[in-house]
Amino acid sequence: GSPEWDAVSVKAALGIDPQDRRKVAVDGWSARPAHTDFEVLARGGFVTLVRAFLHTGRSHQIRVHLAHAGHPVVADETYGGSVTLAGGEHLMNRQALHSETIEFHHPGLERRMEVRAGLPEDMRRLLERKIDPGILERLYLENTCRML
């Protein structure tokens, strides 16, 4: 769905879900601090494109924090995301989750590393179908202009 916020910072400790040990829950067993910032990039009714910035690195962090904020990842049935719309339209065969950029300090090389990956075709089709056919090109231009 469409969040009521344009940006939100979620600070909620994550631990083992006491109802299902295969899942993670806010304030679950052995919870550890977790912090994620989310920014809405584009809205399309049922589908909203958000950027996540992780301040910590907990298992399932993005998925659980978005579900906690009331907007689970599309097709993430574990945490409440829907695979189909009310009319039966199939959305995706997997969670609509993609990491565009990962940055970290490589301990062996003693330097900062950055790894980038393009958007997978199934997610590209979902965004173009559910938000706007030209959305990815516009976002690319906006991000390019921000970097100048």
Side-chain angles (χ1 to χ4, degrees), residues 27 46 66 69-71 79 85 89 113 141 145:
D27 295 326
F46 181 77
L66 276 173
H71 299 281
Y79 295 107
L85 295 176
E89 179 186 355
M113 303 287 291
L141 292 174
C145 292

Side-chain angles (χ1 to χ4, degrees), residues 27-28 30 39 57 63 77 85 105-107 115 124 129 132 146 148:
D27 295 326
S30 303
E39 172 191 11
R63 298 165 63 195
E77 294 179 291
L85 295 176
H105 179 80
H106 192 291
V115 180
R124 179 180 302 277
R129 194 172 83 230
D132 180 352
R146 281 187 206 166
L148 297 176

Side-chain angles (χ1 to χ4, degrees), residues 110-124:
E110 294 291 324
R111 65 183 192 137
R112 181 183 152 275
M113 303 287 291
E114 179 178 289
V115 180
R116 292 181 168 265
L119 194 65
E121 189 58 35
D122 60 346
M123 288 188 69
R124 179 180 302 277

Side-chain angles (χ1 to χ4, degrees), residues 1 4 18 29 32 38 47 55 60-61 63 71 83 88-89 93-94 98 105 110 113-115 131-132 136 140 145 148:
E4 56 283 355
W29 292 333
R32 297 174 63 197
F38 296 103
V47 175
H55 295 274
H60 301 203
Q61 181 172 325
R63 298 165 63 195
H71 299 281
V83 175
E89 179 186 355
N93 292 326
R94 64 178 184 89
H98 172 68
H105 179 80
E110 294 291 324
M113 303 287 291
E114 179 178 289
V115 180
I131 294 180
D132 180 352
L136 298 172
Y140 172 76
C145 292
L148 297 176

Side-chain angles (χ1 to χ4, degrees), residues 65-77:
H65 276 176
L66 276 173
H68 182 66
H71 299 281
V73 172
V74 168
D76 185 0
E77 294 179 291

Side-chain angles (χ1 to χ4, degrees), residues 2-7 40-45 47-49 130-131 135:
S2 186
E4 56 283 355
W5 39 264
D6 292 325
V40 172
L41 300 179
R43 299 173 192 272
V47 175
T48 302
L49 178 63
K130 290 302 181 194
I131 294 180
I135 188 63

